[in-house]
Amino acid sequence: MKPASRFEIVAARLWNVLNEGKSFHPVFVLGTFLLAHLTELAEVGFWGRALPALALAAPLVGLFVLYDFPLRLRWALWAYLAAFAVLFWFVDLPVAALALGLYLFFTVFFWGTLYYHLRTGAPWTNFLRFWRLVLENPDSTSGNFLEQVPKALLALFVLEYLVAEPLGAGRAAAVLGFTAAIGVASHLVHRRFFDWKPAYPEGPTREVNRGEPLARRVIVVVIDGCRLDRFREAKKPYIERMMRRGAVYETVETVYPARTVVCFSSMLTGVPPERHGITSNLVLRLGLKVESVFDALRRAGKSGRLVGIAHLIDAFGDDVASVTSVAHNDEIDRNLIAAAKRELDEKDPDLLVLQLLAVDQNGHVRGTYYPEYVERIEITDRLVEDFMRWCEERGYLEDAAVILMADHGQGRGIGAHGHLSEGERFVPFAMWGSGVREGVVVREPRSILDLAPTICYLLGVEPPSGSSGRVLGEALLR
């Protein structure tokens, strides 16, 4: 059990530049363009054409950073690409081949095979499955073939069109006019067809427990990336026994985009991403714009700890007890649980939030529609049981409430999550223990934003300032 090193924290941030789609796009386009002209880079004449071309293509690249084109909107990107080919009568097949080759090498071999082998112990043959996962991936990362490839090809074709011959005013005006048309079309497409963002709770959290706490301690176990439908399929005797002894919420929705740091930030602040400021796993401004549940606990003289991997530090800073994510997938959750035990023994926090990662990683590496994914959920059940027995033996479950949930689900492809396809949207959610009613099943829609105010209600403290989540009162003895 090693904490994430300073090198790993920085490396994780750098990796997210290539992992998150918004940052990957300009890096990939520029890199491919320079590789396509590698033999010309020392020529002054080339830069005389290339620099104006890069400046004229920048607005188009910026549009593709601004607009995600998630899920059902991806058809627009292919329409833009076809429109450019027809209107400009220009397609650069060698550059297209280079771009596709580089993209597939990066996603399928470097990322899907080498990276995952070194980090999680994935087999060296993982590329035999991973290429199919990339092609059907619907999320907001660089692994989304149907979004990233047309974006890259269109930007590269524009660049090649501009450097193919001396740049004149007519060619420049044509490209800028085409870019403006794409900007208008993109705005209209998103305004008309982008209609699947969740409806978040509005207004401040109204219910506050100013009386006696319902629980001495709250332990939250987050099974990262756990699909609700696959969770229901899995054989998980311990978790199911505990669910019968407590309350189960059947329709708890995650946030958009459904990325891990985004979701944890909403779960532990009670506010949507637009307000807490974390809108992808690539965090350009470290820290949250609002209070977290950890701040709320500190105000009340209580304490909380989040045990997880390095990228959660970007949002929660010193409230995270980090564990290195460079571990075989059979070991990562055991390492996280060992760190959680250490936190309980050494710091005795009033709130412990434990991220379990193996299910999420299994979905990313091997896909969610294969038996390994359900098997990993079943392994997680046994690990949770062992952890809870340890907590009970040490007295940490005395007057404690336990919450088990996921931050997001996963869709098709490489454990896709981000754009809220089927499988990503709804998450498992159950509570049991001190202050929790027994045998409750709630089917009405709820949000992961409701976690923070519910924790605070159980512990008898004010919710984070700005929280708009609702206390899950149906589950509580009050």
Side-chain angles (χ1 to χ4, degrees):
M1 177 193 62
K2 295 192 328 185
S5 65
R6 176 62 56 184
F7 172 80
E8 183 177 346
I9 293 169
V10 173
R13 291 169 181 161
L14 293 175
W15 172 249
N16 278 328
V17 172
L18 295 177
N19 182 246
E20 294 298 313
K22 286 181 179 291
S23 50
F24 170 80
H25 173 65
V27 172
F28 182 75
V29 168
L30 179 60
T32 304
F33 176 69
L34 293 178
L35 281 173
H37 296 275
L38 190 61
T39 60
E40 304 173 66
L41 297 184
E43 299 175 9
V44 175
F46 166 74
W47 289 106
R49 303 191 314 276
L51 291 177
L54 289 166
L56 288 167
L60 179 64
V61 172
L63 279 173
F64 288 158
V65 171
L66 176 65
Y67 290 110
D68 282 331
F69 292 90
L71 303 178
R72 299 188 296 273
L73 304 190
R74 290 180 296 186
W75 61 266
L77 293 169
W78 294 94
Y80 298 162
L81 184 61
F84 179 84
V86 171
L87 293 174
F88 290 81
W89 202 245
F90 183 89
V91 171
D92 194 314
L93 292 178
V95 166
L98 175 64
L100 287 171
L102 288 172
Y103 179 81
L104 291 174
F105 172 79
F106 170 72
T107 55
V108 175
F109 294 98
F110 180 81
W111 174 8
T113 304
L114 175 63
Y115 170 78
Y116 277 139
H117 176 79
L118 295 176
R119 178 178 160 184
T120 73
W124 282 109
T125 57
N126 205 45
F127 63 89
L128 296 174
R129 179 182 295 183
F130 208 77
W131 71 268
R132 296 194 302 271
L133 303 181
V134 169
L135 290 180
E136 65 181 9
N137 184 21
D139 70 13
S140 54
T141 70
S142 55
N144 186 338
F145 180 93
L146 291 175
E147 180 180 342
Q148 296 303 328
V149 167
K151 281 183 173 181
L153 289 181
L154 183 52
L156 287 166
F157 287 172
V158 166
L159 283 168
E160 294 303 320
Y161 173 78
L162 291 170
V163 299
E165 57 187 68
L167 183 62
R171 294 167 71 84
V175 166
L176 291 176
F178 181 75
T179 301
I182 284 186
V184 172
S186 299
H187 173 75
L188 294 175
V189 164
H190 281 73
R191 185 172 181 178
R192 173 65 179 84
F193 298 109
F194 191 10
D195 57 2
W196 60 90
K197 279 190 179 182
Y200 302 124
E202 296 182 354
T205 300
R206 294 179 178 84
E207 295 185 81
V208 179
N209 180 8
R210 295 187 173 90
E212 290 296 314
L214 301 183
R216 152 72 181 86
R217 186 191 322 275
V218 174
I219 297 175
V220 182
V221 178
V222 183
I223 306 176
D224 200 309
C226 186
R227 284 181 64 120
L228 180 57
D229 56 349
R230 303 296 266 165
F231 177 80
R232 289 169 173 165
E233 291 174 24
K235 295 176 182 178
K236 46 191 187 306
Y238 175 77
I239 291 174
E240 289 175 358
R241 187 165 68 250
M242 294 298 102
M243 288 165 65
R244 289 192 294 271
R245 295 181 183 178
V248 177
Y249 284 79
E250 294 192 337
T251 317
V252 175
E253 191 170 14
T254 191
V255 294
Y256 183 92
R259 306 293 290 150
T260 294
V261 185
V262 182
C263 295
F264 268 82
S265 297
S266 287
M267 288 157 49
L268 298 174
T269 62
V271 305
E274 293 78 10
R275 288 176 52 202
H276 61 59
I278 307 295
T279 57
S280 80
N281 281 351
L282 177 62
V283 180
L284 298 177
R285 176 187 177 275
L286 299 182
L288 299 159
K289 292 182 179 178
V290 298
E291 280 192 345
S292 72
V293 67
F294 304 111
D295 299 314
L297 289 171
R298 272 190 288 272
R299 281 204 321 269
K302 296 179 183 287
S303 65
R305 295 291 284 166
L306 168 56
V307 176
I309 62 169
H311 61 184
L312 293 176
I313 295 173
D314 293 353
F316 297 99
D318 293 337
D319 290 317
V320 178
S322 69
V323 174
T324 179
S325 63
V326 183
H328 194 284
N329 211 39
D330 290 337
E331 299 299 326
I332 182 64
D333 282 353
R334 296 182 188 279
N335 294 344
L336 288 159
I337 288 170
K341 291 177 179 178
R342 181 192 62 203
E343 292 298 312
L344 287 168
D345 278 342
E346 294 182 0
K347 296 192 172 138
D348 192 27
D350 301 281
L351 168 66
L352 177 78
V353 183
L354 169 61
Q355 177 195 30
L356 297 180
L357 196 64
V359 170
D360 181 74
Q361 289 193 157
N362 190 279
H364 284 305
V365 176
R366 303 293 282 165
T368 61
Y369 283 90
Y370 293 88
E372 300 103 306
Y373 185 78
V374 172
E375 290 166 7
R376 185 56 61 178
I377 297 173
E378 293 171 352
I379 293 169
T380 301
D381 176 71
R382 296 192 288 273
L383 292 174
V384 171
E385 180 178 18
D386 290 344
F387 177 54
M388 289 299 159
R389 283 181 176 173
W390 180 90
C391 288
E392 187 173 20
E393 290 168 0
R394 299 296 184 98
Y396 294 125
L397 289 187
E398 185 176 349
D399 298 325
V402 178
I403 300 173
L404 183 135
M405 64 179 297
D407 53 340
H408 55 75
Q410 291 192 333
R412 298 185 67 84
I414 49 178
H417 57 91
H419 283 330
L420 292 186
S421 63
E422 282 303 311
E424 300 175 54
R425 192 161 201 146
F426 297 101
V427 301
F429 194 103
M431 306 167 60
W432 60 85
S434 181
V436 180
R437 296 171 61 197
E438 185 173 336
V440 173
V441 177
V442 179
R443 295 180 175 85
E444 288 76 16
R446 295 293 185 266
S447 170
I448 63 170
L449 273 67
D450 300 336
L451 177 66
T454 300
I455 290 171
C456 290
Y457 197 96
L458 283 163
L459 293 175
V461 303
E462 299 268 349
S465 175
S467 168
S468 59
R470 296 169 291 178
V471 174
L472 299 174
E474 306 93 340
L476 304 183
L477 293 167
R478 44 181 189 154

